[in-house]
Amino acid sequence: MVDIVICDDEVILRNGLKSWVERSGLPLRVSGTAGNGLQALELIARQKPFIALMDINMPGMAGLDVIEEVQKRGIGTRFIIISGHDEFQYARRACHLNVVDYLLKPIDREELMELLKKVLEQIRKEQLTQKVFVEKEDTTKEKILGYIQENFTKQQFSLGELADAFHLSQSYVTRLIKQETGSSFSELLTRMRIDRAVSLLVQSPDMKLVEIAERTGFASQHYFSRVFKEKVGFSPADYRQYIRKSAQKERDP
């Protein structure tokens, strides 16, 4: 269901519009009503409805001022203006505020229903587009992380190479990686390299440190040792010694 609010200072009209919407058979739910501009602003800020029927001339705060304030707050409510005045100045300002449409009192029920159907169709299309975008973005994230997994041991592997491989900007790739892992590209790369180095130190006790550095993508043994100690708390040599001593204790009775 799509939430809609009705904001008009005329009680009879407000209740009539509510009844029309509830009996329309459309997937709409009246989530609130307001009788003045300040109530309307509070209601919309709280409910964040998809649609609002908004009277222009209300006490407390004019309808167009409410719309302007709502948009300043980044709330994406779609507004249908209701007015008893067919004045160009109102229509022009409404257009500048990206109002969906402008209905004159007395409201024609069929005209309102057709307009609501139009807005609902726009919402449906936008949600479908957003869903497709999210699914595509999720797939892109998986591919990016897979590419990193395949290439993180390369010494010259860079964010630029990664972005070029997917024909994306570096900032966009950075954002996707951050969303998925909570880390920047460089942080993720370092973590993966250190994890691989730990595995090699444990599984290959005779492998030279310079070879481990090369196999994990570090430019030199010195840089590898410095980063390893910073992240693990031991130098690679000390960590290997610690593993050996731990294994010996397990073997000794």
Side-chain angles (χ1 to χ4, degrees):
M1 299 290 285
V2 172
D3 286 340
I4 181 173
V5 298
I6 300 170
C7 308
D8 195 292
D9 62 330
E10 297 180 37
V11 176
I12 294 176
L13 177 58
R14 190 166 67 242
N15 291 337
L17 291 173
K18 183 174 183 292
S19 177
W20 282 358
V21 171
E22 291 175 339
R23 293 162 48 197
S24 68
L26 297 174
L28 291 167
R29 175 178 56 227
V30 179
S31 59
T33 63
N36 64 57
L38 295 176
Q39 290 177 354
L41 179 58
E42 180 183 354
L43 175 66
I44 294 169
R46 183 176 68 252
Q47 297 279 355
K48 296 180 174 59
F50 278 95
I51 305 171
L53 300 179
M54 177 67 66
D55 185 17
I56 281 184
N57 292 306
M58 288 192 294
M61 191 175 188
L64 292 179
D65 292 334
V66 173
I67 295 173
E68 189 170 12
E69 180 60 29
V70 167
Q71 294 184 348
K72 285 180 181 177
R73 298 186 187 189
I75 300 171
T77 299
R78 295 156 178 81
F79 289 92
I80 297 173
I81 287 294
I82 299 171
S83 177
H85 302 278
D86 185 12
E87 296 185 17
F88 177 71
Q89 65 185 46
Y90 289 129
R92 181 174 60 182
R93 188 176 174 201
C95 289
H96 289 165
L97 291 172
N98 295 319
V99 168
V100 172
D101 215 325
Y102 189 105
L103 297 178
L104 291 175
K105 298 177 182 179
I107 305 300
D108 181 85
R109 184 179 182 278
E110 293 303 318
E111 184 180 5
L112 175 61
M113 291 303 111
E114 287 302 313
L115 183 53
L116 290 174
K117 289 177 184 178
K118 173 185 173 183
V119 177
L120 286 170
E121 180 61 18
Q122 290 174 347
I123 292 171
R124 188 191 70 80
K125 289 180 179 179
E126 289 173 9
Q127 290 178 334
L128 180 60
T129 300
Q130 183 179 22
K131 180 182 178 183
V132 171
F133 176 78
V134 170
E135 290 175 349
K136 182 179 179 180
E137 191 170 77
D138 287 343
T139 301
T140 302
K141 288 178 186 176
E142 292 178 7
K143 291 181 178 179
I144 286 174
L145 293 179
Y147 191 91
I148 294 173
Q149 185 65 45
E150 293 174 0
N151 293 277
F152 77 91
T153 58
K154 291 165 51 178
Q155 289 186 9
Q156 302 303 319
F157 185 48
S158 66
L159 177 61
E161 176 187 336
L162 179 62
D164 289 345
F166 290 90
H167 307 290
L168 299 171
S169 70
Q170 293 187 28
S171 60
Y172 182 67
V173 171
T174 297
R175 182 175 68 81
L176 293 184
I177 293 173
K178 188 74 172 182
Q179 286 179 347
E180 194 68 15
T181 69
S183 302
S184 66
F185 171 76
S186 60
E187 290 169 342
L188 177 61
L189 197 63
T190 298
R191 186 168 72 243
M192 295 174 73
R193 287 172 171 174
I194 293 297
D195 288 346
R196 176 63 61 86
V198 167
S199 296
L200 291 175
L201 286 167
V202 173
Q203 298 170 8
S204 305
D206 297 325
M207 185 179 292
K208 294 180 179 180
L209 295 183
V210 64
E211 186 176 354
I212 292 177
E214 291 174 354
R215 289 195 179 194
T216 52
F218 288 97
S220 68
Q221 180 183 336
H222 174 73
Y223 180 61
F224 162 58
S225 297
R226 180 167 66 81
V227 175
F228 190 94
K229 186 172 184 178
E230 178 184 317
K231 300 298 182 182
V232 180
F234 293 91
S235 69
D238 289 342
Y239 184 80
R240 174 175 273 169
Q241 187 66 24
Y242 170 77
I243 294 298
R244 285 173 176 168
K245 288 181 178 179
S246 297
Q248 185 63 41
K249 285 182 180 179
E250 291 180 2
R251 289 194 295 267
D252 291 342

